[in-house]
Amino acid sequence: MVCEKNIVEEVSGWLRVFDDGSVDRTWTGPPEVKFMAEPVPPHSEFINGVATRDVVIDPKSGLRVRIYLPDTADYEKLPILLHFHGGGFCISQADWYMYYSIYTRLALSAKAICVSVYLRLAPEHRLPAACQDGFSALLWLRSLAQSGSSSSHEPWLNAYADFNRVFLIGDSSGGNLVHQVAAWAGKLDLGPLRLAGAIPIHPGFVRSQRSKSELEEPESPFLTLDMVDKFLKLALPVGSTKDHPITCPMGAEISGLRLPPMLFCVAEKDLIRDTEMEYYEAVKNACNTNNNNYEEVDHVELLISSGMGHSFYLNKIAVDMDDKTAQETQKLIQGIADFINKH
């Protein structure tokens, strides 16, 4: 006799959790957008100026990263972007087309090597699992930088990377990881690696109580209230609320943290804009009152994408078909590249 599994939680289009604990992430939304969630195989040859490869960085856990290497013919050592993908901690992978399409562009524009982490997903691996994966990837980069005292070696990174210019970057929930990994890193001596900057893009900072923007701004293809509520219910430690420090760091003590220079990216029409801006103000105020903990006085910059919604730049259909989305995507990429070049 075959027992039917029953759905106990569903996030429309993206994910279904069954009563036996299994999870199905098969895309069930409009078929015309499915390609954005399809994996792109790695290619060691340069295609449109970028080569990619997947590397296992911890054989014991199986933790992997995808490396994006821009054509290095005319460059010296390149900065590193340590990238954390979004997906509400529950969906998406580093090799999805939506990330490939934008981070190949960013690698070329910023003349930087992107190292994107294949994060463990909830609910099978609840937080802080993804944060630990991100931090492990940073420590792996440090081991590569210690080439004289470590057996670690990655040909592309050891040949072309500048470990004195490592930047954390993350989309949506990946922006939460940028804060968390930077906070943990601030408690360590990472030498000879240097954490040069942090770039949270539309981070998933929220509170238990709905913000004004959550109540008033339109939902977007990449963020609905249903996604906010259900993904975080599945991702946070059992018994936790959205006021948990990973999803609500502005509710914790920020002034005591050692954070690197930051480019904070916000979309004007983001559902969670208000709580994102609350975090920005908290970091700015901490910088103004406790400058000794930071690398420079005016260390946090704000980049606002006019008229755009959450993670708009990952929507390849909109980027290709809507002039305004294309323009704001280019401004975002250029703003990130300019920030990297300054640091």
Side-chain angles (χ1 to χ4, degrees):
M1 180 178 177
V2 178
C3 295
E4 284 193 14
K5 297 192 296 185
N6 297 308
I7 295 176
V8 295
E9 195 69 82
E10 183 171 16
V11 183
S12 180
W14 295 105
L15 172 148
R16 289 146 301 285
V17 181
F18 296 93
D19 52 7
D20 65 352
S22 61
V23 181
D24 179 14
R25 294 183 174 86
T26 304
W27 172 248
T28 60
E32 61 270 20
V33 304
K34 185 176 185 291
F35 76 95
M36 290 189 286
E38 294 281 3
V40 178
H43 48 85
S44 57
E45 71 279 11
F46 288 99
I47 298 177
N48 296 323
V50 178
T52 63
R53 60 182 287 166
D54 288 343
V55 178
V56 176
I57 67 173
D58 184 349
K60 183 179 292 187
S61 68
L63 183 62
R64 297 182 298 148
V65 299
R66 167 153 294 191
I67 303 175
Y68 295 81
L69 177 71
D71 193 334
T72 56
D74 300 323
Y75 308 149
E76 297 181 355
K77 292 284 188 175
L78 306 177
I80 299 172
L81 301 178
L82 182 57
H83 172 246
F84 310 130
H85 63 72
F89 310 107
C90 293
I91 60 168
S92 87
Q93 293 287 346
D95 60 0
W96 275 16
Y97 180 78
M98 67 173 67
Y99 300 114
Y100 177 87
S101 65
I102 202 71
Y103 281 93
T104 49
R105 286 181 62 181
L106 182 57
L108 283 170
S109 295
K111 297 181 175 61
I113 301 172
C114 179
V115 178
S116 185
V117 186
Y118 286 88
L119 302 166
R120 283 177 291 172
L121 301 176
E124 302 96 323
H125 305 283
R126 288 179 176 263
L127 293 169
C131 303
Q132 293 164 345
D133 290 345
F135 192 60
S136 294
L138 179 63
L139 296 182
W140 174 70
L141 290 177
R142 181 179 67 173
S143 76
L144 297 181
Q146 298 168 332
S147 56
S149 59
S150 172
S151 60
S152 296
H153 182 78
E154 201 296 310
W156 285 3
L157 292 173
N158 285 104
Y160 302 116
D162 180 357
F163 292 98
N164 196 47
R165 297 178 65 210
V166 175
F167 297 81
L168 306 177
I169 186 169
D171 320 280
S172 191
S173 58
N176 299 55
L177 270 60
V178 168
H179 169 84
Q180 192 65 49
V181 172
W184 287 348
K187 300 176 183 179
L188 294 180
D189 177 6
L190 292 174
L193 180 147
R194 182 177 73 96
L195 194 56
I199 310 169
I201 309 175
H202 313 169
F205 297 149
V206 294
R207 287 187 178 274
S208 292
Q209 184 174 351
R210 293 269 194 237
S211 66
K212 188 170 182 286
S213 60
E214 283 180 284
L215 296 173
E216 295 181 356
E217 292 296 344
E219 296 183 327
S220 72
F222 287 143
L223 193 67
T224 65
L225 293 177
D226 184 64
M227 292 168 67
V228 171
D229 295 344
K230 290 182 178 178
F231 279 151
L232 295 187
K233 178 183 175 183
L234 293 170
L236 286 165
V238 175
S240 298
T241 71
K242 294 177 188 173
D243 297 320
H244 188 280
I246 294 176
T247 47
C248 187
M250 56 280 187
E253 184 59 50
I254 287 181
S255 61
L257 300 178
R258 292 186 66 246
L259 298 174
M262 183 179 293
L263 176 66
F264 194 74
C265 304
V266 176
E268 182 185 19
K269 297 297 184 180
D270 198 328
L271 269 182
I272 54 175
R273 180 198 62 229
D274 288 354
T275 35
E276 290 172 342
M277 289 302 298
E278 184 185 353
Y279 171 87
Y280 166 74
E281 293 295 338
V283 172
K284 186 172 70 170
N285 291 338
C287 177
N288 291 336
T289 59
N290 196 11
N291 290 331
N292 291 332
N293 277 347
Y294 297 92
E295 293 189 19
E296 56 186 52
V297 176
D298 186 16
H299 89 290
V300 59
E301 301 175 31
L302 181 64
L303 193 163
I304 299 178
S305 297
S306 173
M308 294 291 104
H310 190 82
S311 296
F312 68 92
Y313 56 96
L314 296 177
N315 186 341
K316 188 67 166 62
I317 296 174
V319 171
D320 286 347
M321 299 185 67
D322 179 69
D323 288 344
K324 175 66 171 174
T325 302
Q327 292 167 8
E328 291 299 324
T329 297
Q330 182 55 40
K331 288 179 183 177
L332 176 64
I333 290 173
Q334 189 59 54
I336 294 171
D338 291 344
F339 176 79
I340 292 168
N341 290 335
K342 286 192 298 186
H343 297 280

